[in-house]
Amino acid sequence: QAQHQAQITLAAKTEDGGDLQIHGSAALGKKVGPDSSNTTLLPGQFEGTVGFQHFNLAYWLERTGQSIPARSKDPIGQGNLSAAIRLDLLPGTQGFNVTISDMQTDLGWVVIRGDGNIEHAGTNHPVYAIRFSTSPIGSDSVFAHVPPSWIPKTVRDAVDAHDLESTVELVSVDLRGSIDVLRDPDEWNLVARLSHGSGIWGDKRTRIHDLSATVAMDPHNADITHLAGEVNGIRITSTKLTVSDLDLGPAVDAHLVGVGQLEDMLGVLQQFDGGTVGSSVVRNVTDLTGTLHLTVHVAGPLLPRPSLRLMKAEVQGQELGARLTKNFAITQLNGSIAADSRILGIKRI
C-alpha cells in the first residue's frame, strides 16, 4: 500500500456569518486490487490548521441546546479561533481520532487556550479529553456570558448566598467524558486563581475585602491555598482550608491566622457563635484594647446556611485590656488566650 500526499484548502462562510478556513495535507493510501489493475485512494491522515474568524458563540450555543444567561445585558460578540488539528482515520472502521493543539479562542471578554482529543469520532461511542486555561476575568462577566449548566450548582449557590465577587483566572481545567449525548463531563477538575475578591459572611453579614486564593476543585472536594483577605479590619490568611462533600452537603474545615486589634478580632470570633460557653463569654467582654495574633480552627456545614463552630483558638496578646464584668477589668496584659468549643481561658500571663 503506497502513500500519496494531497494539499487541502477549504474556505467557507458559515450561517452565523463566520469565516471558516482549513488548510493542511492529507496522506492517502493507495490500495491495489487483486488483479493489480484496480486501485483505490483511501484517506488515512490529515494534518493542518483551522481558523474560524468572526463566529457568533450564541448561535452555536443555541444549536447545541445551550443559551446565554438571562442576566446578560450585552449580547455575546464575535469570536476568533485558531488551532492545529490532526485527524487519523481508524483502519477497518468509519471512525477517526481528532487531536487539537495550540488552540486559542478570543471572545473579547476572555481568551481561552488549550488542547484536546476526541477518540472514535464518527462512531456510536466517541470520547473526549480537553485541557484549557483562561485569561483573568471578572466573575460578573463569567455569570453574564457562560451558560448556567456549565457552572456547578454548588458554586452558583455559594456565589449568590455570600454575594461573592472576584477576578478569576482558570489556571487549568481538565474535562473527560462521552459525547454520544449532551451531558456533564464524566470527570473534571480545575485549578483557579482568585484575586481582588469580596463577599459577606456569617449571621451579621460581615464583609470580606481584598480576598485572594488558589482553588483546586473536583466534583467532591475543594482545597484552598494561599488564602488571604481582610475581615472586619483583620488581615486573615489560611494555612489549610478544605471544603468537602460538595456533591452532598458542603462542609468546611479551616485553619486561619490573623493579626489585628482585640476588639476587631473578637468581633470576627462572634461570627462563629455556636451557643457555646466560650462564645457567651466573648459577647460579655467590653472596653477592648491591644493587639492579637490569632490562630483559629473552625469547622462546620455551609448549607443551607453557614454554621461553623470554633474548634480551637490560640491567641498571643500584646498590651491587652478588657472589662470582663462591671467591677472587674484587666489592663496591660501580655500573654496567651486559648479557646475551644467549650471554654475561653487565659494562660501565661
Side-chain angles (χ1 to χ4, degrees), residues 200-341:
I200 53 177
W201 188 264
D203 293 338
K204 296 186 177 181
R205 311 289 282 178
T206 299
R207 174 62 62 174
I208 304 171
H209 299 280
D210 196 21
L211 180 66
S212 60
T214 299
V215 181
M217 185 177 180
D218 61 33
H220 310 293
N221 302 292
D223 291 318
I224 301 173
T225 57
H226 306 109
L227 176 68
E230 184 179 310
V231 182
N232 198 39
I234 307 300
R235 187 63 181 171
I236 302 292
T237 59
S238 176
T239 55
K240 177 184 178 182
L241 198 159
T242 300
V243 183
S244 58
D245 298 325
L246 290 172
D247 51 338
L248 299 174
V252 68
D253 190 310
H255 296 255
L256 305 172
V257 176
V259 179
Q261 296 299 304
L262 174 60
E263 182 176 10
D264 296 333
M265 193 74 76
L266 293 188
V268 172
L269 290 178
Q270 290 183 43
Q271 300 300 318
F272 310 117
D273 185 349
T276 62
V277 173
S279 62
S280 64
V281 171
V282 168
R283 290 196 304 271
N284 292 326
V285 175
T286 60
D287 298 338
L288 303 168
T289 59
T291 302
L292 291 182
H293 297 256
L294 169 67
T295 301
V296 63
H297 176 198
V298 295
L302 293 176
L303 295 177
R305 52 181 271 177
S307 180
L308 303 187
R309 290 179 62 86
L310 177 63
M311 307 301 293
K312 185 178 181 180
E314 185 76 20
V315 180
Q316 299 291 325
Q318 296 178 348
E319 297 298 315
L320 301 181
R323 181 170 295 279
L324 304 181
T325 66
K326 182 177 180 180
N327 298 316
F328 183 67
I330 298 175
T331 60
Q332 296 180 336
L333 176 67
N334 293 277
S336 299
I337 297 176
D340 59 24
S341 60

Side-chain angles (χ1 to χ4, degrees), residues 1-8 23-30 41-48 85-91 95-99:
Q1 183 171 331
Q3 289 289 326
H4 296 264
Q5 294 287 330
Q7 293 296 317
I8 296 176
H23 178 76
S25 61
L28 305 176
K30 185 177 181 181
L41 290 178
L42 300 175
Q45 183 185 96
F46 172 82
E47 191 165 0
I85 186 170
R86 173 172 170 166
L87 279 67
D88 292 288
L89 276 77
L90 305 177
F96 57 95
N97 294 337
V98 182
T99 302

